[in-house]
Amino acid sequence: MAKAQERDAPAQARALQARWTEHAKSHPLAGRDERTLWERFRAACNAVFEARDSQRKEVDSRKREQRRAFDELCEQAERLSNGEGEDDEVRRQLRELQQKWREAAAAQPVPPALDSRFRAARSAVEAALGARRRGEEALVWQALLAKAALCEEADAALMAEPPVALDAESLRGRWARLRHCPRPGSGR
């Protein structure tokens, strides 16, 4: 049956029922014959209505499944925004989620609330990555400033008249502690 016919079938069944009623009044049959024919006719009409209801349930079920899929993608993106994991891994997972989102959205319209939720989660992930990168860069700059200060301290001691004796072991220890600073973009 074509889609238009399937859509019109319940209305056609109701119209046939009305015609049956009119015809039964104008052409009465024996009670048993009429009842037998009516039950067959009613069963056929009920099959039309049940098919429509079944189709509606199937469509509703498919929509619920698709909504659940969108919800799950939103939840995964929200979990990524916690800032846990290496930057490269978080970026890879975010790209995968965005690809899944695009594929799901191509197959089914996205409810606006879920679209907003996904965009907000994606922005939160990007903001967390940016904040982490800026924090790591700040640590690098602080370490570089501390190393520069240490160099200036050593230079000042050596340039003093008479030169000031330096505690080389203390100087090496302080330098070694500064050497273990993160590199920008290393993801911790």
Side-chain angles (χ1 to χ4, degrees), residues 100-112:
K100 289 177 184 178
W101 185 267
R102 282 190 295 273
E103 290 169 2
Q108 169 72 24
V110 181

Side-chain angles (χ1 to χ4, degrees), residues 4 8 57 68 84 109 127 139 148 150-151 160 168 175 177:
D8 295 339
K57 287 178 184 177
R68 273 195 297 269
E84 298 174 11
L139 289 175
L150 197 56
C151 288
W175 184 267
R177 284 190 299 276

Side-chain angles (χ1 to χ4, degrees), residues 52-68 108:
R52 177 200 58 195
D53 293 344
S54 174
Q55 187 179 22
R56 283 182 182 167
K57 287 178 184 177
E58 184 180 319
V59 167
D60 289 345
S61 174
R62 195 172 33 248
K63 284 181 180 178
R64 277 192 303 277
E65 288 174 22
Q66 290 167 336
R67 182 175 176 86
R68 273 195 297 269
Q108 169 72 24

